[in-house]
Amino acid sequence: MKKLIILSAALLTLTVSSCKKFLEIEPTGKVIPTTAEDFRSLMTSAYANFPKHKALLALRTDELTLDEYSQDFQTVRDIYTWQDANPDGLTAPFPYAQFYKTIFFTNQVIADIDNKVGVTAVASQIKAEAYILRAYSHFELLNLYAKPYDKATAATDRGVPLATTIDIEQKFPLATIEGVYTQIFSDLAAGEQLLNVDKWDSGTNYRFGKTATQALYARIYEFRGEWDKALTAAQGVLQTNSALEDLNVTESLLPNNYLSKENIMSMEDVMDSRSSNVSFISAHLLGIYNQTDDLRFSKYFSKSGSDYVSIKGNSNALKITFRNAEMYLIAAEAALQTNNKDLALQRLLALKAKRLKPAYYQTEASRISDLLPEDLMTEILAEREREFAIEGHRWYDLRRYGQSQIKHTVSGKDYLLLKNDPRYTVKFPREALANNPELK
């Protein structure tokens, strides 16, 4: 069985200038940080190297249509048409090694910071972030390369390799989905014990703190269908800060702006320049908004000729990982799943009040309040689609709920992603398969 190639490759290149000193490497293959500042720089590299995979995932959803005249067309065509079995050689690969590069940095911090720096408040916070970022990296790997969580089969379903040490001689067998989650929860628990920052100020809010960790718990429990726990975690975040951007106010910010009052954490580039340049907003996505009275429409999209493009991403100011609106909608979904319709309505309508013009909101509130539970769930999921357009949620929501059929058209030819299609799980990249036959 081969090793993960990334654990050696990661030692050769560090992409953040503040970490250039770490290019000096011990013969055993370890980077050499010695001070708290060094370890903070190592964590900065870990955050900065976190993949931009959600921009590629958006191309697989019903949110975008492809601009066939874009210079990047060939690099994403097979992604857009789900041609995963035999992609063109120019096709952009989904990240795999890059996740393990981030994990390598976190492993280095976890293994060495106590011995090199000692147990201080600063060192404990850095180590806590390493545990939690490692957990989040494994969580994202699962949601790319493993089937959606099913409690009945998770103990035997194929997951992804776990990387929790910096021993480059170790082997990396494929863990089960439940096995990966066991490690994720172990890392989260270890990180929680060490955290001493509630939330980082704007500019450093790409880092994990206590609030962002609770938001991660809420998302994980939502994906696992553990609704009582998801509700508790989401409600806990909102008890700390329940603010939302009121789009009725002229000076309001985009909700996913890192300076937004509802921001929790801004680490991820969920829409990069390539995906932005090669796509337009789909007719499907444009059609789910009241384009006059839902204020998100003019905030999220702008006209480009006869088409629309997103103005929510492809900017450092619009990096996003967690924000309060997600907690409102997780709380609404979880409350309804636990037969608390009143709370579900409360959380859903509180969000809508900040996104819709007042008269339209009153009409919507009256309509939604009379919905039966199954119809209210449909409304909550539709609100997720409207609220989080082009923020990296849609592919995961499609996987969680129904894995519906999607049609994309390229050069006059229709391509179908069928309901419950195996291609709702992304294949491991070729280089990963070549270096670890167990992934096949």
Side-chain angles (χ1 to χ4, degrees):
M1 188 187 309
K2 301 284 184 71
K3 287 87 175 170
L4 287 171
I5 192 172
I6 186 54
L7 293 181
S8 57
L11 298 169
L12 302 179
T13 306
L14 294 175
T15 58
V16 176
S17 60
S18 61
C19 283
K20 286 182 179 177
K21 67 174 75 176
F22 299 141
L23 290 173
E24 180 180 351
I25 296 170
E26 292 179 344
T28 57
K30 294 183 183 179
V31 199
I32 318 173
T34 57
T35 67
E37 182 182 11
D38 292 342
F39 282 101
R40 171 52 73 191
S41 293
L42 201 57
M43 279 305 299
T44 299
S45 285
Y47 287 121
N49 277 280
F50 196 83
K52 301 178 181 180
H53 57 297
K54 291 177 181 175
L56 292 178
L57 287 177
L59 292 163
R60 297 175 75 87
T61 72
D62 50 7
E63 293 184 307
L64 300 171
T65 59
L66 209 57
D67 177 4
E68 298 183 31
Y69 299 100
S70 168
Q71 63 180 4
D72 293 314
F73 169 73
Q74 198 61 43
T75 67
V76 300
R77 182 184 188 278
D78 284 345
I79 293 172
Y80 184 74
T81 55
W82 313 288
Q83 302 299 302
D84 301 332
N86 188 30
D88 184 282
L90 297 176
T91 300
F94 276 92
Y96 178 80
Q98 192 172 352
F99 274 111
Y100 288 100
K101 183 173 183 178
T102 289
I103 291 170
F104 173 84
F105 292 137
T106 65
N107 288 344
Q108 183 78 60
V109 172
I110 292 165
D112 289 349
I113 193 168
D114 288 349
N115 291 333
K116 296 292 178 64
V117 178
V119 180
T120 68
V122 171
S124 292
Q125 175 64 33
I126 295 170
K127 187 176 182 180
E129 292 173 46
Y131 274 118
I132 297 162
L133 183 56
R134 186 169 77 180
Y136 188 48
S137 297
H138 281 118
F139 176 65
E140 286 295 317
L141 279 163
L142 268 186
N143 284 290
L144 268 176
Y145 298 115
K147 61 181 284 191
Y149 180 80
D150 181 342
K151 183 178 180 180
T153 60
T156 55
D157 286 336
R158 287 162 45 98
V160 297
L162 286 168
T164 58
T165 72
I166 53 173
D167 178 6
I168 63 175
E169 295 302 317
Q170 70 176 304
K171 299 184 186 301
F172 291 88
L174 204 64
T176 65
I177 289 177
E178 196 59 68
V180 178
Y181 270 119
T182 297
Q183 184 62 52
I184 287 169
F185 286 125
S186 175
D187 281 349
L188 288 174
E192 274 191 294
Q193 295 297 314
L194 298 170
L195 283 170
N196 51 66
V197 173
D198 291 329
K199 183 180 183 299
W200 292 93
D201 293 334
S202 298
T204 51
N205 54 344
Y206 59 87
R207 301 171 181 172
F208 274 104
K210 293 180 182 180
T211 303
T213 302
Q214 287 305 305
L216 175 54
Y217 268 119
R219 187 183 292 176
I220 290 173
Y221 289 135
E222 177 193 37
F223 280 32
R224 286 170 59 92
E226 296 177 334
W227 300 113
D228 287 324
K229 293 177 180 179
L231 181 57
T232 297
Q235 291 282 80
V237 172
L238 295 176
Q239 287 172 6
T240 302
N241 173 27
S242 61
L244 291 165
E245 290 291 335
D246 187 348
L247 301 189
N248 287 284
V249 177
T250 303
E251 61 269 21
S252 63
L253 296 174
L254 271 169
N256 62 309
N257 191 294
Y258 84 108
L259 295 172
S260 167
K261 64 179 67 175
E262 66 184 77
N263 179 277
I264 298 173
M265 183 177 173
S266 291
M267 176 181 66
E268 296 173 78
D269 287 295
V270 295
M271 180 56 66
D272 61 12
S273 58
R274 175 175 55 199
S275 296
S276 295
N277 293 338
V278 78
S279 65
F280 300 113
I281 304 302
S282 70
H284 163 78
L285 183 54
L286 296 174
I288 67 173
Y289 295 89
N290 179 313
Q291 298 184 11
T292 301
D293 294 324
D294 189 328
L295 296 161
R296 288 172 294 200
F297 187 81
S298 59
K299 278 278 189 179
Y300 288 5
F301 313 119
S302 65
K303 205 76 182 291
S304 176
S306 59
D307 295 296
Y308 282 87
V309 295
S310 172
I311 54 178
K312 289 183 75 179
N314 192 23
S315 162
N316 285 336
L318 300 177
K319 290 184 177 183
I320 191 64
T321 301
F322 303 107
R323 58 186 179 91
N324 286 349
E326 182 184 359
M327 299 301 107
Y328 274 87
L329 289 173
I330 290 176
E333 183 181 356
L336 191 59
Q337 292 280 11
T338 54
N339 300 314
N340 190 341
K341 182 183 176 184
D342 289 342
L343 179 57
L345 277 170
Q346 176 189 331
R347 287 311 192 189
L348 176 61
L349 292 177
L351 175 63
K352 281 182 172 287
K354 302 296 185 181
R355 304 302 195 237
L356 309 180
K357 291 181 180 179
Y360 181 52
Y361 167 75
Q362 293 300 327
T363 300
E364 282 290 276
S366 177
R367 177 184 68 84
I368 291 167
S369 296
D370 291 334
L371 292 176
L372 295 172
E374 57 269 27
D375 295 323
L376 181 56
M377 182 58 71
T378 298
E379 182 64 33
I380 291 169
L381 298 181
E383 192 67 11
R384 285 183 63 87
E385 191 176 359
R386 288 186 286 262
E387 178 65 25
F388 303 128
I390 320 300
E391 283 187 44
H393 291 264
R394 182 60 176 163
W395 179 252
Y396 297 154
D397 283 349
L398 286 165
R399 277 167 48 92
R400 288 196 305 126
Y401 279 101
Q403 299 184 41
S404 58
Q405 180 172 299
I406 302 174
K407 182 176 77 172
H408 286 169
T409 303
V410 177
S411 302
K413 181 179 179 180
D414 292 339
Y415 297 84
L416 291 179
L417 183 68
L418 301 174
K419 183 173 176 61
N420 298 319
D421 199 304
R423 291 172 295 175
Y424 266 108
T425 298
V426 175
K427 288 183 177 293
F428 290 109
R430 287 172 175 170
E431 62 270 23
L433 294 169
N435 285 281
N436 189 348
E438 269 204 20
L439 300 181
K440 294 179 180 177

